[in-house]
Amino acid sequence: MTTFSDIDRLAISTMRLLAVDAVSKANSGHPGAPLGMAPAAHVLLRNMRMNPKNPGWINRDRFVLSNGHACALLYSMLHLTGYDFSIEDLKSFRQLHSKTPGHPEFELPGVEVTTGPLGQGVCNAVGIAIAQANFAATYNKPEFTLSDSYTYVFLGDGCLQEGVSSEASSLAGHLQLGNLVAIYDDNKITIDGDTKVSFDEDVLKRYEAYGWEVLTVNKGDDDLASIDAAIKQAQKSKDKPTIIKLTTIIGYGSLNEGSHSVHGSPLKADDVKQLKKKFGFDPEQSFVVPQEVYDFYQKSVAQPGAELNAKWDQLFSSFQKRYPEVGKELVRRLSGKLPENWDEKLPRYTPKDSAVATRKLSEMVFEDIYAELPELIGGSADLTPSNLTRWNEAVDFQPTNSGIGNYAGRYIRYGIREHGMGAIMNGISAFGANYKPYGGTFLNFVSYAAGAVRLSALSGHPVIWVATHDSIGLGEDGPTHQPIETLAHFRALPNTSVWRPADGNEVSAAYKSALESKHTPHIIALSRQNLPQLKGSTVENALKGGYVLQEVSNPDIILIGTGSEVSLCVEAAQLLAAKNIKTRIVSMPDTLTFDKQPTEYRLSVLPDRVPIMSVEVLSTAGWSKYAHQSFGLHTFGASGKASDVFKYFDFVPEGVASRAEKTIAFYKGKEVDSPLKTAF
Amino acid sequence: MTTFSDIDRLAISTMRLLAVDAVSKANSGHPGAPLGMAPAAHVLLRNMRMNPKNPGWINRDRFVLSNGHACALLYSMLHLTGYDFSIEDLKSFRQLHSKTPGHPEFELPGVEVTTGPLGQGVCNAVGIAIAQANFAATYNKPEFTLSDSYTYVFLGDGCLQEGVSSEASSLAGHLQLGNLVAIYDDNKITIDGDTKVSFDEDVLKRYEAYGWEVLTVNKGDDDLASIDAAIKQAQKSKDKPTIIKLTTIIGYGSLNEGSHSVHGSPLKADDVKQLKKKFGFDPEQSFVVPQEVYDFYQKSVAQPGAELNAKWDQLFSSFQKRYPEVGKELVRRLSGKLPENWDEKLPRYTPKDSAVATRKLSEMVFEDIYAELPELIGGSADLTPSNLTRWNEAVDFQPTNSGIGNYAGRYIRYGIREHGMGAIMNGISAFGANYKPYGGTFLNFVSYAAGAVRLSALSGHPVIWVATHDSIGLGEDGPTHQPIETLAHFRALPNTSVWRPADGNEVSAAYKSALESKHTPHIIALSRQNLPQLKGSTVENALKGGYVLQEVSNPDIILIGTGSEVSLCVEAAQLLAAKNIKTRIVSMPDTLTFDKQPTEYRLSVLPDRVPIMSVEVLSTAGWSKYAHQSFGLHTFGASGKASDVFKYFDFVPEGVASRAEKTIAFYKGKEVDSPLKTAF
Ligand SMILES: [Ca+2]
Ligand SMILES: [Ca+2]
């Protein structure tokens, strides 16, 4: 048991007041949760293994603040324990370009994941815990425990109400993630007031139903010994995640403690003063940290952490000598590099190869690369036989006692939980060790996970969505399953690669781009139906994002297609050729990648003086950046045989050709600039 | 107790085989769940109140097939009980333009909601149950029980794994919805195989934690009496929703029963034959319905239902005499009409009125219209003080014993459950009686509900999203809360009105459009910050979706703005005027509405020969339909004071004006066509 004394209480008061001062100075933010949760934060710090001078140490314990609005608490914790956060940083809380934005952001030292959108953080923590379990099962040896870290997560009522957390929590229970400890701030308050207006379920009973260990601390804002005992108990339960319900008073110490008025607005000046007095601080001073508090955190947290880190470094050194091969692999992974020439394994195709659905080609990529890339870990949201996301020899990531896999397995059965899957992938990526998580579902249902996809893009987690059944080409399942708006949506999301490969070479390119990406999530949209291997496609061409697939001299029109519509454009071009109309065909598997090419190259693909028409059997929104005219869908799809549905919407060679002719006629005699040329 | 005999078993076999035949004929679909669930479906029908000849009867019991992929079962049920579904319709299952698409669609007779995307249906059912409870509390009188219907929902493992169902189920327990009965098909199989690969939580314990009554039937594919007893028990528990766990064998009777191979593919021909033999049918015949089965359903379901409907009609007739005023209101609501001249209550503004945030103006609309529109029912996902969605005198929709509201209340505390809220709104709308549900959250978090919004649009539920904090203008909360892609996403979704009003008159127009809409959901994006009342704005102008706000003769440029950027354009125009540049300003609060205006009108707003630049502080995707150049954001936002953030991204009058000048220069000497003119 840790013993607590006056210095602990002084440290807690300091932490509370730093958070309050930050919010007051910004005149914006959330003082309530920091006041209530500072004791738990302090006790947790005393139980955590971390080295503030080396925030990237792979065997650190992780701390996720799922209720990210309480970040004034997190920044105070990081400052006090010696991370690279100064008092000046706290003073510029929530100001433009500060290191202390309104919600914690992944790239900051000591911030494990970006949080704020409720429910995400706890799912990220599940992902981190999965990665740790896999990492440990893969690399630990009897005499070398390289990985045994815990993931701790604070969460509030909001995180528990969001469905995404239910998805990940149910899976975490199934997976028996004993390395995961959630601390629930049960303060009975949300923005709308008392939780009894909408949330009176029995949370612990629910988590028991998921298979978690559940613990309770009644005086969470005061009873340090009980908090400590609960955390230690949680550490001991190795085959279950633990949730500790901590009853706290929101805004503890404030004149308005226990009310929702302290949740999201600065305390009044008078209130801050009485609070400082109450905690034994000078009411006239702000951002005060007694030296003994710095010293205490140094001695009790930072120094032991640094020592453990140094010991681990020695251990790893010996490991490398004892297991040179694996050691090399680990060094590589920890440096964030892929194996040299890994991409030589990617399959390549010629037009003589047979027509294959791109989802199937994606499966063939997995077959060819899984052995090369131990960092590849993924699964499907219960659509494995449709998404084709599992290589033949894959072992499921499952607890050993389940008899259906083990933690060294790299295939995750996510269940029908797309949003949870997306958030868990972010956590796996955030763990480090170059983990490359992927997840399969129908393209249409990536939208269920929009909240998590957005955070992949914002945080720069290069996760991979294997998004099959990418159009009305899925046929009979009908409009509930046929994406229309989906590509437009994710292309409009900054820092998101949306690939829609047309054939095998482009599928290989998509995976090369995805797996080599350091900071950009990839959505790879794949067909259900077979597509021919195209003349003119190469992996290298496709890696430019857009390229001339089939060239003619002096084209009358340029057709840009993606995915299944590229071969449709090729067929349309043949009809047009019969009328002496010359067509250049451009394949554009990923607009974001194309945008990054030099202007000269882009203009060589999409030059002046030729009308350009895009062809994609989804919403046309966004295509005008590349084309003068767009052929797409502006209604929902229909249930029927895929070929019937394509025909109904006129996505047949004749339909494309006739629109190409109209486009040529429309621009006849007009000065036609490349759409790439803009005023600013 | 209902008694069951051979005719019941014959009816069940008929229903099973109709579903199997439909799937086989289509060579596509899901035979497994219909085979397992037909007995429950049959027993449920015998317990339901419905009139197949009048599917719109307001006091019918509702049946929602949340596992919508089992729709061959639903279509068979509807055919057998006499809804407008013929054997020919069953024979054209999953074919283009048939009445029996791959997943059930709302507009079909007897289909209460569109299902298929997992998790949605059970949430819709919660919404229907809420609407029924509100309707009953509002209109029932001691001697006139106009409303006492039940909502029944079938759901499978997928629906239970999806987080959205957790959100709505937790709320349903809190709300004590005794009129809701869920029947869980516990067949231990999902697409990935045994549920033990990802889903071994204790579902009933979880539902108990939510406050539901939980019941179990062990032999769900055989024990009709126990199913019947459970349904009757569920009907009796008036202060709790009920979930009945029905253990079934997926693909019951098939050679592959109990395995996932019967889930989503037609049975083999041999298997179908042995199945028919097993059930006592001719293995060589298909789509067979013994006449006594038709007669039985007629006698035991359709006829009693028709009689109850007739009795209800009489009751309603007497009600109208006894309560003529309320009777008139009810007749109006049941006919789907708003009160005459209701819109005269909408506030109107002049430029002299002070600058107000559009979220505040939205609140003022609620204050002015709530008393006129008893069908208006809504709330917020725990952001009431931010979304400003609650009128002052509102009563919360809560169970009476909670002491904080009653079922006649029209303000719903959704909790932090955006996706559940969206799906519940769809259910409330589907109930009928002209209910107009609305729900508040930050615009950025409407994305959490993308799955439900898509189904609003596909089904044509005219629900209303009050989406505040609609840009980087929310300031300090930072990029996790600042929408960038959101408007582009929902504008690319067919049949979705995305309003972004610029001032008070436009807010009133947005609500007029939303409330008068019969089939189109509305997302109303509202500012956190104050915006001036604009010269040139009127409700009537705004109702065209786009209009000339400020005119000049022979403009050099047209600036199109939405929301907070319209007044920015006005300021920019003043800077430009000082340089003798003449600017027409177009306000475009809703592009979908604008698209519906006559060509002539649209061309008068956006004519040839003038370069057009759009200004909106989000993604520019989609704007090229209306503008030659677009000023927007292609990165995430930033945490800071709103004014600092706007300035950083150059969304200030000078930034707009300088880009306008560049646009003029770029198009100088070029032939400029209206972007509205297209080749096809
Ligand atoms: Ca709380
Ligand atoms: Ca199932």
Side-chain angles (χ1 to χ4, degrees), chain A residues 295-357:
Chain A
D295 294 346
F296 181 71
Y297 279 118
Q298 180 60 28
K299 191 183 58 119
S300 64
V301 178
Q303 203 175 297
E307 283 160 17
L308 285 167
N309 192 163
K311 262 171 94 173
W312 187 91
D313 289 344
Q314 284 173 350
L315 184 78
F316 185 42
S317 221
S318 317
F319 180 96
Q320 286 169 272
K321 281 170 204 140
R322 173 80 179 72
Y323 302 101
E325 277 305 302
V326 186
K328 244 170 80 180
E329 178 178 299
L330 260 173
V331 168
R332 174 187 72 70
R333 287 187 59 176
L334 294 175
S335 74
K337 286 191 191 121
L338 293 171
E340 268 178 44
N341 305 320
W342 75 276
D343 53 331
E344 288 174 3
K345 297 280 175 182
L346 287 169
R348 284 158 192 265
Y349 300 84
T350 73
K352 284 181 197 152
D353 293 315
S354 53
V356 184

Side-chain angles (χ1 to χ4, degrees), chain A residues 226-240:
Chain A
S226 294
I227 300 171
D228 186 62
I231 291 172
K232 290 190 163 61
Q233 171 69 25
Q235 289 171 337
K236 269 180 228 146
S237 68
K238 297 287 187 195
D239 61 350
K240 282 183 175 191

